[in-house]
Amino acid sequence: MGSVRISDTTEALFMDFRYQGRRCREYTALVDTPANRKKLEKVLAKIEAEIAAGTFVYANYFPNSKALKRLERSAAQVAAATVMTPVATAVDSVIKDAAPETPLFEAFANQWVDEHSIEWRRSHIRSLLSTLNSRLIPQFGGKAVGQITKADILAFRATLAKVKGRGDKEGLSPKRINEIVGLLSQIVDEAADRFEFTSPTTNIKRLRLRKTDVDPFSLTDVQRILATVRVDYKQYFVTRFFTGMRTGEVHGLKWKYVDFDLRVIRVRETFVLGEDEYTKTDGSQRDIQMSQPVFDALQEQFKVTGKASEYVFCNLAGEPLDNKNFSDRIWYPLLLHLGLQKRRPYQMRHTAATLWLASGEAPEWIARQLGHTSTEMLFRVYSRYVPNLTRQDGSAMERLLASRLSTGSLVAIEANNAPSGQGDQVSRAGGIVYIPAAEVQAQPVPKPRGVYGARHHRQDRASQHGPDAVHKDDYGGSEPQPPPQWHRAMVQHASSLARMTH
């Protein structure tokens, strides 16, 4: 029984059947779609019917097949191979009709961007077009989007790891490669949905990214920075270190969003690529509570820019701060001056998060301050800094146990089990008596049993009633073997404990 299958290498359909005791595979350029499969199955059914009837001529269906060379052909078959028969013409027509006609990648990609641009921020559109024009269109622009194969995409991804990267680096980073291939996948997947062909991006896995740790400042480093930074930037640094605002959020902060009466900063806009935009996500829309240092810093800043600009932090022209200018002229020179490790300004946000965690603030509150919708990211990103800052390493339990055990805290027991004379000295509640832990009677040690218990019983009777009170029955009629030295010591210890409890 023949079948229509998909090739692992070309991802195109082929027919698999048996003829003259041999297995035959005839490949096509058709992609795997329900319509293409249905048409090839009809052709295959006709082939098998002719094979069963003995009228099948291989060359009539596949005149250019390599299988003709290894099959035992008759003279008629050889002659038929030189002429395109009506049957072969019909099969070729089926294949051509089934092949999807798709636009060129460049035309479809531009159409896709135009259709979806209304959904995106301007900064995202600018970044997307940069990737499209510099990476994807030069590679796939002149190819029909339906003819892009999985092999083409994997080969393209491999070249991205070898091109010149930023600075002296060879090859783009895995994160950047995932972004480029991800954009290609979105476009091709959309085309596959519209033109009904199987997307070649199926089962292409993203490259594994190395986990990068955040590198926040310690509170001592923060104090050094605030004591050293230029006077006109001190309020800016205080706000960033103690609110956790993103760079675009603090640069786009306007005075109308600062509420001194309620002591909150309303994050409603962000400044990205020279323009005011909506925040990164809906969750980024939030109200940040001002701590006292932030409240004082913003009041001082209002004296400087409150009437000069709508922006809280601005340049001499009243425009928002430029991130690159700030980094190159203020941030990195300051770190170099203080001898601190070079790191991005974004680490000020991480510093705020770790300081909040160190002070014992509720994780849910910290997540809201940072604009996270849950605490998952908080614990995943900052958890390793919490033990170092808050000493959550078991020492708190040590201090609790030492305090309670040394002061002799009260213990609840039933009133019936309270020691005599305690009824008037301790508090009672619902039949429960609370007495100092030191006055609670310890659980008695049980008496020894068995052969060695009997020996202990004989010794105890002799000590109380004299040697004559000891009988052989105490040993079961005969003198037992003496216990080993370790057991004798254990019994003596148990006996002394029993006398102490009684």
Side-chain angles (χ1 to χ4, degrees):
M1 184 67 181
S3 62
V4 176
R5 301 169 57 190
I6 183 171
S7 171
D8 294 334
T9 56
T10 64
E11 298 184 347
L13 295 175
F14 69 92
M15 291 181 286
D16 189 354
F17 60 96
R18 300 191 70 84
Y19 176 60
Q20 293 184 355
R22 296 174 179 268
R23 185 178 184 182
C24 302
R25 298 176 182 177
E26 292 299 334
Y27 293 83
T28 73
L30 302 181
V31 295
D32 184 16
T33 65
N36 290 348
R37 278 183 175 269
K38 188 174 182 180
K39 291 179 180 180
L40 287 182
E41 286 171 355
K42 289 182 179 179
V43 175
L44 182 60
K46 188 175 182 179
I47 290 174
E48 293 192 323
E50 292 184 6
I51 293 175
T55 60
F56 176 65
V57 180
Y58 204 99
N60 286 351
Y61 285 87
F62 312 105
N64 300 317
S65 174
K66 296 180 180 179
L68 293 174
K69 297 180 180 180
R70 58 184 179 82
L71 292 172
E72 295 180 0
R73 299 171 296 181
S74 63
Q77 286 178 317
V78 174
T82 62
V83 180
M84 181 67 72
T85 64
V87 177
T89 304
V91 174
D92 185 64
S93 177
V94 168
I95 294 176
K96 288 182 178 180
D97 292 340
E101 295 183 2
T102 58
L104 297 180
F105 176 83
E106 181 176 6
F108 183 79
N110 290 330
Q111 176 187 347
W112 178 77
V113 172
D114 292 339
E115 294 172 344
H116 292 275
S117 58
I118 193 174
E119 307 170 8
W120 302 323
R121 298 193 305 170
R122 289 189 295 269
S123 59
H124 178 69
I125 296 174
R126 188 178 302 184
S127 174
L128 184 147
L129 289 176
S130 175
T131 301
L132 195 62
N133 294 326
S134 63
R135 300 293 181 185
L136 298 182
I137 290 181
Q139 180 72 23
F140 301 103
K143 192 170 187 177
V145 67
Q147 298 302 317
I148 298 175
T149 65
K150 183 176 182 180
D152 295 334
I153 298 176
L154 294 177
F156 171 64
R157 189 178 68 173
T159 61
L160 294 177
K162 301 177 182 178
V163 301
K164 187 178 184 303
R166 181 176 297 179
D168 297 332
K169 295 182 179 179
E170 180 181 354
L172 303 181
S173 66
K175 179 181 179 182
R176 178 58 179 154
I177 294 176
N178 286 341
E179 292 174 353
I180 297 172
V181 177
L183 176 58
L184 174 62
S185 298
Q186 292 182 61
I187 298 173
V188 175
D189 290 347
E190 179 68 20
D193 183 58
R194 295 191 187 188
F195 300 105
E196 297 183 350
F197 64 88
T198 302
S199 175
T201 64
T202 305
N203 297 328
I204 294 182
K205 297 182 179 179
R206 295 170 60 86
L207 298 180
R208 181 175 296 181
L209 304 180
R210 291 185 178 182
K211 184 178 179 181
T212 56
D213 293 327
V214 297
D215 190 13
F217 295 91
S218 66
L219 186 55
T220 301
D221 292 338
V222 173
Q223 291 174 312
R224 291 180 60 200
I225 291 173
L226 296 180
T228 310
V229 70
R230 281 170 38 177
V231 177
D232 54 335
Y233 274 90
K234 182 175 181 180
Q235 321 310 335
Y236 171 87
F237 275 79
V238 170
T239 303
R240 291 203 64 172
F241 271 123
F242 301 133
T243 64
M245 296 176 69
R246 299 180 177 93
T247 301
E249 293 171 349
V250 72
H251 287 185
L253 180 62
K254 299 177 180 178
W255 283 114
K256 64 180 180 180
Y257 299 130
V258 178
D259 191 333
F260 287 111
D261 294 332
L262 297 179
R263 299 172 72 100
V264 296
I265 298 173
R266 295 186 174 89
V267 180
R268 298 294 183 269
E269 295 181 77
T270 183
F271 188 77
V272 181
L273 298 177
E275 297 177 337
D276 290 323
E277 291 189 353
Y278 188 73
T279 51
K280 182 179 180 181
T281 62
D282 291 338
S284 298
Q285 300 267 316
R286 64 195 187 277
D287 292 346
I288 300 177
Q289 298 180 19
M290 297 186 203
S291 61
Q292 190 61 45
V294 174
F295 180 82
D296 295 338
L298 290 180
Q299 284 195 323
E300 289 296 321
Q301 185 67 19
F302 185 79
K303 298 176 183 178
V304 180
T305 63
K307 297 181 179 180
S309 174
E310 64 174 332
Y311 295 97
V312 176
F313 303 104
C314 59
N315 55 27
L316 296 178
E319 299 296 328
L321 298 178
D322 179 75
N323 184 44
K324 188 176 188 309
N325 183 67
F326 162 75
S327 299
D328 295 341
R329 302 188 64 180
I330 304 297
W331 176 252
Y332 291 120
L334 176 62
L335 297 184
L336 181 63
H337 174 73
L338 294 175
L340 296 175
Q341 182 180 354
K342 185 177 180 180
R343 61 196 91 176
R344 296 170 55 204
Y346 201 84
Q347 295 297 334
M348 286 188 276
R349 173 175 168 84
H350 297 319
T351 300
T354 54
L355 291 179
W356 278 327
L357 287 168
S359 62
E361 297 288 356
E364 293 80 6
W365 179 86
I366 299 175
R368 290 196 302 270
Q369 296 293 101
L370 294 174
H372 297 163
T373 56
S374 68
T375 59
E376 178 184 358
M377 183 175 181
L378 188 72
F379 290 121
R380 184 175 70 250
V381 176
Y382 305 111
S383 59
R384 79 182 188 93
Y385 290 93
V386 178
N388 297 334
L389 296 174
T390 61
R391 298 294 300 165
Q392 298 297 322
D393 52 7
S395 59
M397 188 65 173
E398 293 284 354
R399 290 193 298 271
L400 175 63
L401 293 177
S403 174
R404 289 299 181 91
L405 294 179
S406 63
T407 57
S409 57
L410 297 180
V411 178
I413 63 174
E414 295 182 3
N416 296 335
N417 297 331
S420 58
Q422 291 290 340
D424 299 331
Q425 301 177 15
V426 298
S427 60
R428 295 174 179 268
I432 299 298
V433 179
Y434 294 88
I435 65 175
E439 299 182 10
V440 177
Q441 186 174 6
Q443 184 180 14
V445 178
K447 294 181 179 181
R449 297 181 180 181
V451 176
Y452 301 123
R455 179 179 178 86
H456 169 73
H457 175 67
R458 180 185 65 80
Q459 293 174 347
D460 202 29
R461 179 185 296 183
S463 63
Q464 294 181 9
H465 305 287
D468 297 337
V470 179
H471 302 284
K472 286 186 177 182
D473 291 341
D474 293 330
Y475 301 100
S478 62
E479 183 72 23
Q481 293 183 353
Q485 185 66 27
W486 62 268
H487 191 277
R488 186 180 299 110
M490 183 184 70
V491 171
Q492 292 175 355
H493 178 65
S495 177
S496 62
L497 288 177
R499 285 193 294 272
M500 291 174 63
T501 57
H502 294 295

